[in-house]
Amino acid sequence: MSSTDPPKPPSTTARPSSKRISTVPTPPKPPTSIHPTAIIANHALLIGTHLITIGAHTVIHPYARIISTEGPVTIGDGCVIWEKATVGMMGGDSSSDGDEGVLETKLDDNVVIESCATVGMGAVLGDGCVVEGFGVVEGGATLGRRCQVQAFARVKAKEVLTEHTIVLGDGRRRVSKGCEGVERGREVAHEKMVRDFERVVPSVSVKWM
Amino acid sequence: MSQQFPYTYYSCSCVDTPTSLLPLSRKSVEARSSSDEEETTFDPRSSRANFSLYPLEHLLYCTECHQMRCSRCTTEEVLCWYCPSCLFEVPSSTVRSEGNRCTRSCYNCPICTSFLTVNLLDAPTEAQRDAEQPPGPFILSCSYCNWTSLDIGIKFDKANNITGQLQRVRNGGIIVPTPKERENQAERLLRKQPNHEEEEEVKSPLEETPAAQAPPDADDFFSNLNSFYKSQLADTETSAGPAEFNVHSPSSIQRLLNLYSTGKKTKRGKPKPMRESLTTAEGLQEYSSSSEEELIHRLATSGWEATTSPSQRSFQERHPPRFTSDLRPTATLLRTKRSKRCKTCRTLLSRPEPKVNTTRYKIKVLALNNIPKVSIRSLNTTPQSLLTDLVTISSSMQQKEYTTLHPLMPYQFLLTLTNPLFDPIKVTLATPTTTPGRVQTRVTILCPQFDVGANTDVWDDALNSTSSQNNPKRKSAAPGLSVASPPDNSDGKQAEAGKIWDKGRNWTSVIVEVVPGVLPGTPAFVGEGGEVREDEGVVECPVFVKVEYESEGLGAGETPERVRMVGEGKEKREVAFWCVLGVGKIVG
Amino acid sequence: MSSQTPSQDLRKASLTASRNARPSAHTIQHSDPTRSPHTPLSRSVSGLYGSPGSSFRVDEDNLLIFDFGSRYLRAGFAGEPAPRCEIGYGPDSWRRVGDYRQWDLGCYPGGKGNRDGEDWGREYELWRLLEWEGGEMGVVEDRVERLVRECEGRYLLLDGRSKRVTLVVPSGLPRPLLNVVLKGLFEGLQAATITLMPSPVMACVGAGLRSALVVDVGWFETTVTAICEFREVECRRSIRAGKLLHEEFSNLLEEELGKSEQQIKHQFGFEEVEEVMTRVGWCRPLNPPTTEEEINSKIINTTLANSETYTTLDIPFSRLADPAETALLGSKTPKVDIDDHDLPLHQLMYTSLLHLPIDIRRICMTRILFTGGVSQLPGLKRRVYQELDALVAEKGWNLVKNYGSATGKKRPLRERSANLPTPSTSPLEVHAVKHIDRDHSSSISTKDTPTTLSLPPHLQPQESDPISEKLSRLTLSQSTTTPSLTTAPTKPQICILKTLGPWAGASLLSNLRIRGASSGKGGGVSKYVFFCCSLAVYPQFRRG
Amino acid sequence: MATRPTATRKTAKGEYIETDSGNKVSRKANISGTPNITLGGKTVIMADVHLRGDLTRPKAATPDPKGAKQSSTSISIGRCTVVSTGTVIRPPGRMSRGVYTYYPMKIGDNVFVGPNCVIQAASISSHVHISENCVLQPLCVIKENVKILPHTVVPANMVVPPNSVVGGRPGRIVGEVGEGYGVSVGAVAGGSGEGWVEGGDLRELVRIIK
C-alpha cells in the first residue's frame, strides 16, 4: 500500500499471536519498578531485558506493549497507553540503534499513546505529548512538551520537535500558539480520565512486579 | 492503491450523441466510440474516457429513452439546502444571501479544514460548570490541529450566533461595520455632494464611522465603487437624487445605451458621460509602493510558517490572504438534495425525499436494475480468499492475484453477467484483441455469445437468501460459494472456447484470458505516483456489451409468466454499451 | 460594420447550443423582450453576502459571473465583491467519477513531474492556447462541462430561477475555446442568456475608470491592453508570465536542493513549486536600498511537504527574488537576445505606450492597472513602475531607438521629427521627464534635460482630455487622497491605480443592470449582449 | 433482541462462536466488559477485534432518565454488522459537568467496519462502509449510507451527513455516493461470489464467514 504505514505490532498482522500472548506470557519478565498506583491491565505486555519504570496513575491498557529489549523504558506519571500501542518498538530506523549502545525510551508525564500508535525505542516524549492512532515516533526522535502527532503522521528518527508542535496527517508541521485556557481544560480532562480508570480498568500490576 | 481490483466502469451512452458546436477532430471521435459503430473501439486511456466512465451505482436509467444516464445527461433541480454539519435545513429564500453557507455556529478550521468547536476560553470553575449559560469569553478551536480563534485574536462573548459576532470583528478584534452599514455610509457620502465640487465634506463623515479605524479592504472599495456608479446613473437622471432613482424610466435606459454602446454616441448627444471615480470614497484606490515594501518586509521577517498554503487560500470564503494571521474561520458550505431528470426527455429519474435525515427516494430508476451487471474476478479466487482480502490487513499480500500480473503470462478471469431484468437476455460481448495504448495486453473472451436467465421476482430471492447452505438450489444461486472454488477447478473443469464456464438462474459467467503486455521503460516507474504512468501499469480491457431481449412495452417489472402468456405484442429491445474491466496491475 | 460579424457568428453558435436547452428556456425567451427594459420592484434581501448591489438586484433571475482563466475558474453572483469560488484545475478534475485516489495515503500533491517535459503542469491548465487546432478540444469541452457542474453543485447551489450569465473572457480567446465555454454554460447551467465582457475593460470598470492601460500578468502570457473610453485601443503580449516564472522557481528549488548538505532525493511536483512561488516569492526594487540587506540575508526554510519525505530546505530570502528577475524582468538576458514575443514587462508597457496616439497615451499613463495572478507577487508593481520611469527618463517618447551615425545631429532630427504628423515627441513625456527628475534624480540620466528646455512652443497638446482635466481640477482640491492625480493636465505622470479585477468589474456592471443595455442583439433562446467590446471580440472571429 | 456473546452454545470447534441470534464472535476476539455489549444478531466480530465494553459511564453520573436506562450498555451493535480483524472499538469519553464520562457507542445495522480501524465515534448509523485503517476520533457522528475511504481520519466531533464519501487526513466530505449505493443486483448472489455490495445488505457476507 504505502510506506507510511506504521509497523504493525505482530498481534494485528498474525491472528494467533495475540492469543498466545494473552494466555502464556512466554517472554521473560523484564525488571520493573512500577508505582503502586499505576494500572497495568490484564493482557498488557511488558517484554525486554532492561528496566521498565512506570509512574504514578499511569495506565497501560490491554494488549499495549512495552518493549525494553534494547534499552530501558521510563514512563512518567499519569500516562495512558491504549490498546495495541507499542512503546520501545525496535528497528524502524537503522541509525537509531547501534551507534550509541543503550538508549532510553522516555515518556514524560501525562503522555497519551493512542491505539495502534508506535513509539520507537530511544524516543523522548515531553510532558503532555499525544500520539494519535497509527501515529509513529521513530526511534531517537525528541518531542518537546505538548507536542501532538496526529493520526498517520510520522516523526522521523533523530528528529527534534519544539514544544507545541503538531505533526499533521499530511506531514506538515505546525507550532500552535497554545491557548492556556484550552490546555488547562485538556489537562483537567486528562487527569479526570486517568483517575477514572481506577474505576473501570482492573490492574494486574502485581503480576509484573 | 487508488482502486480495489477488480472493478468495472461503464461508459455512458451520452458520448454517442455529440452535441458539440464544433466539428470533432479525429482524436475525440476515437474517444467517443459509439455503440452503433462497433469498429471504433473504446479507448479507456484516451484523455476523454475519464469523463464518460462511471461506476455502475452512479448511473441512472431513463425508461423512456432506454438509455443509461450519467450526471452529464441529466439535469438537476435542488430540492432542499442543508448544512452538512448541523443538518439544519435552510429555506431557499435565505440561501444565497447567506452565501450558501451555514449561519449557525458551524465553522471549519482555516488551517486543516476540520470541524471547529466552540470552547470556553478558560476552563470552567466548579461554580461556573453547573450554570446553564457559562460566562464567556468563548473561542473557536480545532481539535485536529489545535488552531484557535485566538491565533487571529478573536474571542466571542456568546457561545451562539458565532456568525453574527464574526461579522462584526476583523482579525485582531477590530470592530467593522456590516456591509449594509458600509453601503449606507458610502451612499450617505455621495448624497452629501451630488456634484463633486466641495470635497472636504467627504472626509468628515469618514472619520466618525468605525470603518475609519480599520484600513478599508476590497469590500469597502467595492461598495464605494458600487454606490459611486449608482450615483452616476442617478446623476445622469435629470434632477433626480439617488433617493428616488428608478432604473426602469426609459430616459435612464436611453442614457445607459448612450453610455455603453459604441463610443461615437458617447461623444455627442447627451449632457455628460458617466465620469470616472475620483476619491477613495468613490472607490478609486491608487497604488502605493509603501504597502508592498512593508509586505515584503513582513514576508522576510515572519518567514514561511506565517504564510498560507494554496489549499488554505482556496479554502477561504473570499479574499484569500497571504498570511496565516489573516485567515478567517470558514463557515460550512451548504449541501443540497437534488432530483435528476433526463436531459433529452425530461423524465424524472431520481427524486430523494426532501428531508435531510432520510435516505429514502420517492423515485429512483437505477441503471443497476435495468442493464446487466458486468463483474470480473480472477478465476483462482474463492469467496474465502476474497473475504480474507477484505477483512484482514496484510497489505503486501492483499489482492496479489490482481496486483502482480506478469507480462506475457496468460491469466484467466471469470467474467460474469448478472441480469436484473425479468426477461431472459441474449448477450454478445466484443473486445479488441489488444488493448489500446502503449501497453498492449491481449484479451480473449472464450465465449462471446451466451444467454442469461431472467431475474425471478422478490419472493424467490427471499426464499433463497434465507435458505440454508445445504439447499441444492444454492449451487446455482450463488456459484461463487461452491462452483468456482478450487475443488471444482481441480476436478478437471477446463476453460474451453465457445463454452460458458457456469450459469445460474439470472447470471452467466465466461472465461476471459488476459495476457498482459510489457511495460515501456524501466520497471521503476510503475509505482511512481504519476497518474498517467500509474494507469499505464493497470490492465483495463474495454468490452462492448450488446444485450437483446424481448419484453413488453411496459418494460421491466413483469413476472416471466406474464410475459410468456402474452406471447405476441412483445417488443424486441437492444441495449448496448461499452464497459471497462480493470483486471489488475502489471509488475515491471 | 465590424461589430456585426461577432454577433452573427455567436448567434449561429447560440442557436446550435440552444437546440438542447430545456423547454422552460423558451418561455423565458418569450417573456424576455417585455421584461428586459423594466424591472419588478421586489428587493432581494442583502445579508452577509448581500453587498450594496444586492439591494439593486431586483429581478428574479440568477445573475452569475463566470471568469474562465487558464488556471482558475472564478464564479459567483453579480453585485458581490468577490467570486463565490475560485476553482483551480488540478488533476482531480481529470479523474473518473468514483476515483478517490487523491485522498489515499501515499498520494502526494502534484507528485508527478518531469519538468523538461512538455506536459509539465499540463493538467493544471484548462487549455493550452492554440491547442484547439490540435484536436484536444473534446477534453477541454469535458473539463469545462465538469467544472461548471462542480462549481454549481458545490458553491452556487442555484435554485430553479432562470440564469443570466456574464462571461468575462480575454479578448484574444480563440473562438473554438469560446464556443466550448459557451456550450458548457448553456448545457451545464441551462443559462438563459450569456453576456460577453472583455476582461481588460472589466478591469477598467473594476477600478472606476473609463480608460486605462491594463497589464494582465497571467499564466501563459502577459498582455498589455490600452483601453480608452471602454474600448480596446491596442494590445501587446509577452510570454514573460506565470508559466515562465514557475519554471524559474522550479530551477531555483532544484539548485537549492543540490546545495543543501542533507542529501535528499526529491522530485519537485508542480504544486510544490507553485506553493513556494506563491508563498515566499517576491521581487526586489530597481536599486535596493541598504536597509534591505538584513532582509536579504534572512533565511527562509521552506517545507517540502510530502507525508513520505518531510524535509525543510533553507533558502536565503534574496534568492527568492531571482526568478522574477529572470522570468519577468529579463534583467539577466542581454537586450539583444530579447525578442518581440518575450519583452520584459516594463519594456512591453513602454512600447505599447509608445505606440499609442498621444492623447490616449497621456490618458493611459496616469491609469495603469495590474491584474492577473502573478501581479500579486510582492514588489512586482513597484519594480515595474521604477523600470518604466527609468525607461521613459532614458528614452523619452521617441519612436526612433537609435540614430546611429546621426547621433551628432540628434537635436535637429528631433525637432524636425516633432513637426512630422507622427507622434514623436510631445510635451507630455518631456514634462514627465521633468517630473521624474524631481523625485527620481538618482535613476535619471541628465542628457535629456537639454531637449526638454529646447522644446518649441508650437508643440502644445492639440487635443486635451476633458476627463483628465476635470478630474485633475477636481482632485486639486483634495490632493491628500490622490496625490497621483494632482498634477496639472499638462503634467501627466506614470501612475498605477488599483483595480478590483475583471470579475468584480463585471459584477458591478451586470449588477447595475447595464447588462440590459443592448439586449436587442442576437436572437434565439440565448442572447449575447456585447458590451462595447466590438473591437475586443472582433479579432477572434476572424480565426478558424 | 440483544444477546451476549457469553450466552453461547458451543458449536463444532470453529473459529467463531455462534449465538442463538446468529451473532458470530471469533474466539480470538478481545472483548472486555462483555455485559455492557449488545449485538443485534447476525453480527460478526472477527479475530483480534478489541471491544472496550468495560469503559462505561460512571454509575454515580447525574441520573437523568436516559442515562439511567442506558448506563449499563457501553457498546451496542446492530444486525448484520461486520467488524473486521484488528479493529478497536472504544466508547468515546469526555468531560461533562466536571465528570469524565464515557458515552455509549451505537453502531447501526449492515455496517461494515474494515480491518485495523480505531473507532471512537458517538454513533454510526446503518449501511455505513468503513474501509481499512480508518481512525474515527472521539464523538464523531456518521449518518446513513456513508462510505469512508481507506486511511481516513474523521476528526473529533465531526458530523458526516447521509450519502457522503469521506476521505483524507483530516477527513472531509469528498463526494457523494451514487444513487445505486448499497443496491445489489436482483437481490440475489451474482456470480461474483459476494451477493453483497458496499453499504448494502450484508447477510450474504455474514453467511460466508465461517
Side-chain angles (χ1 to χ4, degrees), chain A residues 92-152:
Chain A
D93 191 285
S94 57
S95 66
S96 63
D97 51 2
D99 41 16
E100 68 274 356
V102 172
L103 27 79
E104 177 185 19
T105 312
K106 194 168 183 316
L107 273 58
D108 218 329
D109 297 350
N110 303 318
V111 172
V112 177
I113 311 294
E114 265 290 347
S115 300
C116 306
T118 326
V119 173
M121 144 212 48
V124 178
L125 276 67
D127 196 348
C129 282
V130 178
V131 183
E132 292 284 347
F134 294 102
V136 180
V137 179
E138 286 182 1
T142 310
L143 279 63
R145 36 190 303 280
R146 294 236 163 68
C147 285
Q148 187 176 354
V149 179
Q150 260 302 348
F152 292 105

Side-chain angles (χ1 to χ4, degrees), chain B residues 172-250:
Chain B
I174 313 162
I175 306 296
V176 294
T178 61
K180 202 86 191 78
E181 297 173 8
R182 234 193 270 124
E183 165 189 2
N184 298 339
Q185 169 215 337
E187 267 173 358
R188 199 171 61 247
L189 290 189
L190 288 154
R191 216 160 294 161
K192 268 218 172 58
Q193 19 103 27
N195 53 355
H196 298 263
E197 297 322 317
E198 65 289 359
E199 291 291 344
E200 55 280 358
E201 261 190 51
V202 183
K203 312 301 305 158
S204 45
L206 261 175
E207 312 313 341
E208 67 219 24
T209 56
Q213 300 134 15
D217 61 359
D219 289 4
D220 298 327
F221 279 116
F222 184 87
S223 52
N224 293 345
L225 212 48
N226 199 315
S227 40
F228 160 69
Y229 277 126
K230 275 193 258 168
S231 72
Q232 280 305 297
L233 291 179
D235 291 352
T236 53
E237 198 73 17
T238 46
S239 77
E244 65 281 4
F245 160 63
N246 56 346
V247 206
H248 44 275
S249 91

Side-chain angles (χ1 to χ4, degrees), chain C residues 318-375:
Chain C
S318 54
R319 281 282 279 138
L320 290 165
D322 296 347
E325 292 288 329
T326 38
L328 300 178
L329 302 155
S331 51
K332 298 238 185 336
T333 49
K335 285 221 175 355
V336 290
D337 296 351
I338 291 178
D339 204 346
D340 276 358
H341 73 286
D342 63 352
L343 283 173
L345 296 195
H346 53 280
Q347 291 201 10
L348 186 66
M349 292 163 69
Y350 175 73
T351 27
S352 46
L353 277 175
L354 191 61
H355 289 78
L356 282 175
I358 288 188
D359 50 353
I360 300 182
R361 178 199 302 164
R362 162 231 209 84
I363 299 172
C364 290
M365 271 173 73
T366 59
R367 301 165 177 78
I368 294 178
L369 304 178
F370 278 89
T371 65
V374 184
S375 66

Side-chain angles (χ1 to χ4, degrees), chain B residues 25-79:
Chain B
S25 58
R26 295 205 58 74
K27 210 159 173 191
S28 44
V29 171
E30 282 305 314
R32 49 172 60 200
S33 61
S34 76
S35 54
D36 348 300
E37 23 174 296
E38 275 98 15
E39 64 276 4
T40 64
T41 67
F42 185 89
D43 177 9
R45 296 246 186 291
S46 79
S47 40
R48 290 202 69 178
N50 280 0
F51 296 90
S52 65
L53 287 173
Y54 294 84
L56 185 53
E57 70 262 22
H58 281 83
L59 288 168
L60 297 170
Y61 188 83
C62 177
T63 45
E64 298 303 314
C65 321
H66 296 292
Q67 292 274 1
M68 61 175 101
R69 289 282 171 244
C70 68
S71 52
R72 274 209 297 194
C73 41
T74 52
T75 61
E76 299 181 336
E77 294 152 27
V78 177
L79 294 177

Side-chain angles (χ1 to χ4, degrees), chain C residues 464-498:
Chain C
S464 69
D465 163 28
I467 290 171
S468 61
E469 271 176 11
K470 168 133 68 33
L471 69 99
S472 46
R473 189 180 67 246
L474 289 171
T475 44
L476 272 177
S477 52
Q478 34 106 32
S479 51
T480 55
T481 53
T482 60
S484 62
L485 298 176
T486 53
T487 51
T490 49
K491 295 187 169 190
Q493 151 202 10
I494 290 170
C495 159
I496 300 179
L497 300 179
K498 285 190 199 158

Side-chain angles (χ1 to χ4, degrees), chain A residues 20-22 24-30 45-49 65 69 208:
Chain A
R20 193 192 68 245
I21 290 162
S22 58
V24 270
T26 33
K29 281 191 199 168
L45 181 61
L46 279 62
I47 41 176
T49 52
R65 306 184 318 146
T69 44
W208 299 99

